[in-house]
Amino acid sequence: MAPEKESNGLDNYAFAVDGVENLCELADGKDRKNSDLSHEDNTSKLAYCVTDVPPWYLCIILGIQHYLTAFGGIIAIPLILSQGLCLQHDSLTQSHLISTIFFVSGICTLLQVTFGVRLPILQGGTFTLLAPSMALLSMPEWVCPAWTQNASLVNTSSPEFINVWQSRLQVLQGSIMVGSLFQVFVGFSGLIGLFMRFIGPLTIAPTISLIGLSLYDSAGMNAGNHWGISAMTTALIILFSQYLRHIAVPFPTYNRAEKCHTSRMYIFQILPVLLGITLSWLICYLFTIYNVLPSDPTQYGYLARTDINGDVISRAPWFRFPYPGQWGVPTVSLAGVLGILAGVISSMIESVGDYHACARLSGAPPPPKHAINRGIGIEGLGCLLAGAWGTGNGTTSYSENVGALGITKVGSRMVIVAGGFLMIIMGVFGKIGAIFTTIPTPVIGGMFLVMFGVISAAGVSNLQYVDMNSSRNIFIFGFSMFSGLVIPNWILKNPTAIATGVIELDQVLQVLLTTSMFVGGFFGFILDNTIPGTKHERGIIAWNKAHEEDLDNTLESSEVYDLPFGISSRLSSSSWVRYVPFCPSQKDNTQEQTMSSSSSLDTKKEPTDPVIVGVAL
């Protein structure tokens, strides 16, 4: 996306941090002459490494930044889900969903940093579960009643309306909870390595790309409410993220050494989405005050006003503590579970790449197998908690925040801990979630145009590992992509076409065949593993180098990845620990491990996770 990129896919511009002198090198950088990262001065020197503890105020400031970086993706999920849940005209419930997903994301972040992979990686909602969720809600029995689409007919406090959206959310909850158990099992049993053996770029590329492409209708519906406002939002985000990212803005700062002075920060590169949404939101507010936008609900452009849901802020409670089962007892749908499984598998593969990228950008050794297994298992546990709390979604590692580590040069996991606590606090304040629901839908649509486009392009970027001069690979990718668009579109237009005589089987096929990412990923997986082709042609060699699971267990690795509170040292005396896939074990072949560690760094010259492209936003 950007013409000037470092080898890690990030622009070479740092977030200004004054008064920091404890620059550290990568943990594996003892012999920098042998490292391919030695020429990247800004990426090989960090203000704080993963195990360092910055001053408390810096933790809070950078924690806020991580929270704001994840802001766009996290709030987008409940706003999209609200359409399938028949909640378009219930802003108060939308605000509760936003608060809940913030709260759960904070809890999952703390679990991941403390007991999971132990890298500074933020957890939040995932679009990989959004596609099967929307496919489930589009089934004939879950289509929203016509009266819920008319604001004048909706009484948000009536038992009938509450039952409509809660019954849909309950089936989502149950499906996500059951589907997440698979991820928990795969992580803690160590089977993630077996999955990675059969899944290559030609499976991931259509799967990730179709997540963004399948949501084009949602982006169009929101943007179409006022194309002028949507175009302005899109233009602002593009302006900030692409044209102004090189410009450093001076900010007044203070420290003991230099007293009051100015520091330059590349604010447009760090927070372009937030700046674009905020500015468009402000303009819509001014247009509403001066009645530039129509006040008649039947006129075009009315939905761009900011006072449509103005009363939701006054109605929302100051404090609201989310709790499991707040929407009722979850129910389970077999079709929903199988659809969620497709998203869970995709999420796991993304996260493995995120772990390697995060380790390299935070000054940590490559993650060993036990840390990867534990990270995937904790992510599955996070999805289980997200389902129990009723976010309507799961959790995954946020690639955008991984990229932010390379920008700020602060790789300390204490910063992410601060961000996790901040997300929990924000989830408890009901007024904050209510404020977000006043964002006009055309502004959201403008953000979707950029965000979904980047997700689609991030999937295509996996093809960098594949020989695209091969007619075999062109056929697999083209057929998978086209089938992932055609088949779901036809099934949605002909919902009664699937009639096997078994209702449960009809529901399963309905959900799976209307989930674009499943259809495309399925054909990509089958064709890539059955059509003859060399490993180099399929991109397996380059893919394995970029996602290699290292057996590194050096002293530096133990400091980063061992379990906290002395748990690892207590377990090290037990012989059975070596048979537990998610527990670190002591090994004596230090020389072999060190060689493995250095070679693993050499193989990671290319981006370890294609979704990190999203940091350009």
Side-chain angles (χ1 to χ4, degrees):
M1 292 178 61
E4 300 177 13
K5 291 282 185 181
E6 294 290 323
S7 64
N8 59 5
L10 295 173
D11 292 346
N12 188 19
Y13 296 99
F15 184 88
V17 181
D18 291 333
V20 176
E21 299 178 355
N22 60 325
L23 294 178
C24 60
E25 297 183 359
L26 291 175
D28 296 75
K30 294 180 179 179
D31 185 4
R32 295 187 65 202
K33 293 185 294 183
N34 296 329
S35 174
D36 287 323
L37 301 178
S38 60
H39 67 284
E40 300 177 9
D41 185 67
N42 282 331
T43 54
S44 61
K45 287 189 175 182
L46 299 169
Y48 292 95
C49 297
V50 59
T51 55
D52 294 335
V53 180
W56 63 270
Y57 57 87
L58 191 59
C59 287
I60 294 177
I61 293 173
L62 293 177
I64 292 173
Q65 178 185 260
H66 277 284
Y67 168 79
L68 295 176
T69 304
F71 158 85
I74 291 179
I75 71 161
I77 291 170
L79 291 177
I80 297 174
L81 273 177
S82 64
Q83 301 173 18
L85 295 172
C86 318
L87 288 173
Q88 300 96 318
H89 304 297
D90 188 357
S91 300
L92 185 60
T93 302
Q94 289 182 31
S95 71
H96 294 338
L97 285 175
I98 292 174
S99 298
T100 301
I101 197 170
F102 275 137
F103 183 83
V104 175
S105 296
I107 292 177
C108 295
T109 297
L110 296 179
L111 286 175
Q112 187 67 273
V113 176
T114 306
F115 298 103
V117 73
R118 304 216 67 206
L119 288 170
I121 191 165
L122 201 80
Q123 304 292 293
T126 170
F127 282 94
T128 59
L129 296 189
L130 185 62
S133 297
M134 295 301 290
L136 174 64
L137 295 175
S138 66
M139 293 175 62
E141 61 265 35
W142 294 117
V143 173
C144 293
W147 60 270
T148 62
Q149 311 301 305
N150 190 333
S152 61
L153 298 178
V154 172
N155 179 7
T156 57
S157 59
S158 66
E160 182 182 9
F161 178 72
I162 292 175
N163 180 68
V164 165
W165 66 264
Q166 283 192 353
S167 60
R168 286 158 174 75
L169 192 52
Q170 287 164 6
V171 74
L172 270 186
Q173 286 184 254
S175 301
I176 292 171
M177 292 174 70
V178 175
S180 64
L181 295 177
F182 175 76
Q183 186 172 1
V184 173
F185 173 74
V186 168
F188 289 128
S189 65
L191 289 178
I192 183 65
L194 180 64
F195 277 95
M196 294 295 293
R197 188 177 304 173
F198 296 99
I199 296 176
L202 287 173
T203 302
I204 295 301
T207 301
I208 302 300
S209 296
L210 287 168
I211 294 174
L213 293 177
S214 64
L215 295 172
Y216 73 92
D217 189 50
S218 176
M221 286 178 58
N222 285 276
N225 291 323
H226 195 297
W227 278 107
I229 298 297
S230 299
M232 177 182 63
T233 305
T234 302
L236 287 173
I237 295 176
I238 295 174
L239 176 67
F240 295 150
S241 64
Q242 304 301 321
Y243 294 100
L244 300 181
R245 68 184 189 276
H246 303 289
I247 298 177
V249 180
F251 281 88
T253 56
Y254 174 86
N255 60 39
R256 294 181 179 179
E258 301 181 35
K259 303 300 180 182
C260 292
H261 63 288
T262 59
S263 294
R264 293 183 173 272
M265 302 180 186
Y266 292 90
I267 193 70
F268 296 120
Q269 182 179 335
I270 298 171
L271 301 172
V273 175
L274 181 65
L275 292 174
I277 291 177
T278 303
L279 189 54
S280 295
W281 194 2
L282 176 61
I283 292 174
C284 288
Y285 175 70
L286 295 176
F287 283 174
T288 302
I289 292 178
Y290 294 103
N291 288 322
V292 176
L293 296 170
S295 56
D296 184 358
T298 61
Q299 292 186 3
Y300 178 79
Y302 171 76
L303 293 178
R305 296 180 65 92
T306 57
D307 58 356
I308 298 176
N309 301 323
D311 63 330
V312 70
I313 299 177
S314 59
R315 290 165 51 204
W318 277 103
F319 297 98
R320 181 183 177 276
F321 194 84
Y323 57 91
Q326 57 184 330
W327 316 125
V329 180
T331 58
V332 179
S333 164
L334 177 61
V337 170
L338 294 179
I340 292 298
L341 281 178
V344 164
I345 293 173
S346 178
S347 176
M348 287 191 295
I349 298 166
E350 283 184 49
S351 295
V352 172
D354 284 336
Y355 297 160
H356 285 286
C358 185
R360 183 156 57 92
L361 293 177
S362 61
K369 280 187 176 181
H370 69 82
I372 293 177
N373 295 337
R374 205 164 58 241
I376 296 298
I378 291 294
E379 281 196 20
L381 183 60
C383 287
L384 183 65
L385 295 178
W389 253 268
T391 64
N393 198 252
T395 59
T396 191
S397 300
Y398 258 49
S399 304
E400 293 86 347
N401 292 81
V402 173
L405 299 175
I407 298 173
T408 62
K409 305 302 179 226
V410 177
S412 171
R413 57 186 168 211
M414 288 305 298
V415 170
I416 302 297
V417 170
F421 277 114
L422 181 67
M423 294 172 76
I424 293 176
I425 294 172
M426 294 301 179
V428 173
F429 282 93
K431 297 288 186 184
I432 295 178
I435 291 174
F436 292 144
T437 63
T438 64
I439 302 176
T441 54
V443 175
I444 298 296
M447 177 187 69
F448 286 170
L449 290 176
V450 181
M451 181 177 295
F452 296 160
V454 171
I455 293 175
S456 302
V460 175
S461 70
N462 282 273
L463 299 179
Q464 64 183 297
Y465 304 107
V466 179
D467 180 12
M468 290 309 293
N469 291 319
S470 167
S471 59
R472 169 195 183 274
N473 296 339
I474 291 176
F475 166 76
I476 293 175
F477 179 72
F479 179 78
S480 301
M481 288 289 292
F482 200 69
S483 300
L485 293 173
V486 171
I487 294 176
N489 182 63
W490 186 84
I491 296 294
L492 288 173
K493 292 181 177 179
N494 301 272
T496 61
I498 300 177
T500 63
V502 182
I503 297 178
E504 291 78 10
L505 181 59
D506 291 347
Q507 293 176 342
V508 170
L509 293 175
Q510 179 81 20
V511 172
L512 294 181
L513 294 180
T514 53
T515 304
S516 295
M517 58 172 287
F518 170 78
V519 176
F522 174 79
F523 282 121
F525 174 81
I526 295 297
L527 296 176
D528 188 36
N529 284 279
T530 55
I531 298 178
T534 64
K535 288 187 176 182
H536 174 76
E537 184 183 17
R538 297 171 58 195
I540 298 298
I541 295 177
W543 176 262
N544 287 338
K545 286 182 179 180
H547 296 79
E548 183 178 354
E549 294 184 353
D550 302 284
L551 296 177
D552 181 90
N553 200 25
T554 61
L555 176 63
E556 293 86 352
S557 178
S558 64
E559 291 177 355
V560 177
Y561 298 109
D562 277 5
L563 291 168
F565 312 122
I567 297 176
S568 294
S569 60
R570 295 189 185 97
L571 294 176
S572 60
S573 59
S574 303
S575 58
W576 55 267
V577 172
R578 70 181 64 180
Y579 302 108
V580 180
F582 55 88
C583 285
S585 59
Q586 299 298 325
K587 297 180 181 179
D588 297 326
N589 52 344
T590 307
Q591 182 178 359
E592 180 181 350
Q593 294 155 4
T594 305
M595 292 175 61
S596 173
S597 175
S598 62
S599 65
S600 66
L601 270 179
D602 291 339
T603 63
K604 292 180 177 58
K605 293 185 290 184
E606 299 184 51
T608 51
D609 181 19
V611 183
I612 204 171
V613 176
V615 80
L617 290 178

